[in-house]
Amino acid sequence: MTKQQKIYVTQPSLPDLQAYTKLLEQIWESKRITNNGDFHKQFEAELCDFLKVNHLSLFANGTLALMVALKALRITGEVITTPYSFVATTHALHWNGIKPVFCDINEHDFNINPDKIEALITPKTTAIMPVHVYGNPCNNDKIQKIADTYGLKVIYDAAHAFGVEKNGESILNWGDLSVLSFHATKSFNTVEGGAIVTKDEKLKERIDFLKNFGFANEVTVVGYGINGKMNELMAAYGLLQLKTFNSEVTKRKRITDLYNRLLKDKKGIKLNATPENTTSNYSYYPVLIESEKSGKTRDEVYEQLKQNNIYARRYFYPLISQFPAYRGLPSAGDDRLPVATKIAQQVLCLPVYAELDEETVQKIGKTVLL
Ligand code: T4K
């Protein structure tokens, strides 16, 4: 790494250009560039096999997929969700006219705390929308039990959880629906892109109508649809990405292991422990800076890295509940979300991507510890 080179929190891996050019030539030849073409169909089928899920609908991005997931299940009223996520999680509720109700999170995995959900349920509650933050699986057993008791739907924002398995099974099969993001910053990317995973064939059909303006056929519109379709160029790109995903994960694991070795047991630095019996896609490397022990605040470490051309990110600070659009909600007060408020002040996501070399990781580790 040269002294001037900027290191960002992530960098996308792209498919082999020659291989992609060949697929593009086929697209140019066929003139089929969007609306459920051959590459789209093939990509959906291959993703289902790869992810061990029954049905999957591709989308232009994860945010549209979240919006359609809520619409497909006819969610209304209030939805219990986490403030510790990317703002798209809550925006998807707002775009459906749903009131978000924020629930605090766990210290150990940054996910919604299931023990605090029940107290937030009102007659208007129709669903729970948890997020598998950094790919750490939520406590589905507890969440599903509450949902079953109160007759609520569960929509998982699984934007970070591509390929994640627990006890050998895909966590994408949990709940009523799971939503993926294939954004450039994710470990599996199609430039922009996303998907909804479902076990129910009829529900997939409805989702497919809704992402195509609601059209069930040429003359029938069955609901308030939107244009959420993924195009053929991205589907072809995604097919190539699938071939290299396992090696992408291996490379990211190597970097994660190296960080763990460098930062383990350092005063005031808390690492994200990999949950038991769970696989990871190593999309993020979050650390918590505990200023009372380390003698430095998270923001001081963030600035110190920046001065060395290392652009770590504070995912997820501020909390969604702290943004002006949401901070007026009764559930949004920091006093009601003490764990999320604390973690958002401490978290720093360090750079992790396949092409990050060992020397740079060493430098980042040393700079964190300065
Ligand atoms: N739910 C959750 C839990 C999510 O995390 C997200 C998205 C969504 C839903 C919504 O899914 P999508 O609609 O996005 O599919 C990024 C991403 O834009 C966003 O997808 C992601 N979560 C979020 C956590 O992070 P930014 O604003 O931080 O990205 P940006 O552009 O600052 O990129 C970060 C760094 O990555 C850059 O400094 C450089 C590098 N980079 C980025 C891009 C886009 C590259 O090297 N090449 C690139 O093309 O939001």
Side-chain angles (χ1 to χ4, degrees), residues 53-328:
V53 300
N54 292 343
H55 304 285
L56 176 148
S57 297
L58 289 169
F59 275 80
N61 60 62
T63 305
L64 282 164
L66 279 172
M67 286 162 60
V68 170
L70 293 160
K71 186 70 85 191
L73 292 173
R74 297 188 172 85
I75 305 299
T76 56
E78 296 176 3
V79 169
I80 297 169
T81 188
T82 171
Y84 192 78
S85 181
F86 191 57
V87 72
T89 310
T90 310
H91 279 349
L93 295 170
H94 184 81
W95 277 81
N96 276 284
I98 297 162
K99 184 173 164 189
V101 175
F102 296 113
C103 179
D104 206 5
I105 61 169
N106 298 316
E107 291 234 31
H108 63 278
D109 61 6
F110 317 112
N111 289 329
I112 196 164
N113 181 341
D115 296 332
K116 295 193 176 167
I117 291 176
E118 238 169 318
L120 298 169
I121 295 173
T122 75
K124 291 185 183 157
T125 311
T126 56
I128 306 168
M129 191 155 78
V131 180
H132 302 298
V133 178
Y134 314 129
N136 290 337
C138 291
N139 187 332
N140 180 57
D141 289 346
K142 281 193 178 177
I143 292 170
Q144 194 57 57
K145 202 167 165 212
I146 297 165
D148 291 344
T149 304
Y150 290 88
L152 308 175
K153 300 283 186 197
V154 180
I155 297 116
Y156 277 107
D157 181 336
H160 304 173
F162 187 91
V164 174
E165 295 184 4
K166 187 161 185 193
N167 299 322
E169 284 178 25
S170 172
I171 69 167
L172 301 174
N173 289 317
W174 292 351
D176 293 277
L177 293 174
S178 287
V179 176
L180 289 161
S181 164
F182 307 151
H183 183 260
T185 54
K186 303 288 186 283
S187 53
F188 179 85
N189 86 81
T190 59
V191 184
E192 296 272 0
I196 302 179
V197 172
T198 172
K199 299 180 279 289
D200 179 344
E201 195 177 353
K202 271 309 238 191
L203 191 52
K204 172 178 163 54
E205 190 181 64
R206 180 167 157 75
I207 289 163
D208 287 345
F209 295 157
L210 289 174
K211 77 174 187 188
N212 187 28
F213 313 96
F215 276 110
N217 59 45
E218 231 177 287
V219 292
T220 315
V221 168
V222 295
Y224 298 105
I226 199 164
N227 182 358
K229 292 169 275 116
M230 178 181 276
N231 66 57
E232 285 292 275
L233 282 77
M234 299 303 81
Y237 179 108
L239 280 165
L240 294 177
Q241 294 289 66
L242 214 40
K243 293 185 203 298
T244 53
F245 180 70
N246 288 338
S247 79
E248 173 78 22
V249 170
T250 305
K251 289 176 191 163
R252 286 170 173 267
K253 181 178 185 314
R254 215 185 51 222
I255 291 151
T256 301
D257 290 344
L258 182 53
Y259 273 132
N260 285 343
R261 286 202 295 280
L262 292 167
L263 299 175
K264 203 174 111 200
D265 299 329
K266 296 289 187 246
K267 211 168 147 199
I269 301 201
K270 213 166 146 188
L271 308 183
N272 172 36
T274 309
E276 276 183 11
N277 307 321
T278 301
T279 65
S280 177
N281 58 34
Y282 306 100
S283 286
Y284 297 91
Y285 191 86
V287 295
L288 300 182
I289 310 292
E290 299 173 313
S291 57
E292 66 286 1
K293 292 186 200 154
S294 69
K296 273 198 181 135
T297 65
R298 182 272 316 275
D299 288 346
E300 283 167 343
V301 178
Y302 169 79
E303 289 300 332
Q304 178 173 295
L305 287 164
K306 227 167 162 181
Q307 275 154 23
N308 286 277
N309 277 323
I310 300 156
Y311 292 80
R313 291 294 287 266
R314 291 164 288 189
Y315 298 128
F316 290 102
Y317 161 83
L319 295 175
I320 302 175
S321 49
Q322 292 169 336
F323 288 125
Y326 300 111
R327 69 183 172 210

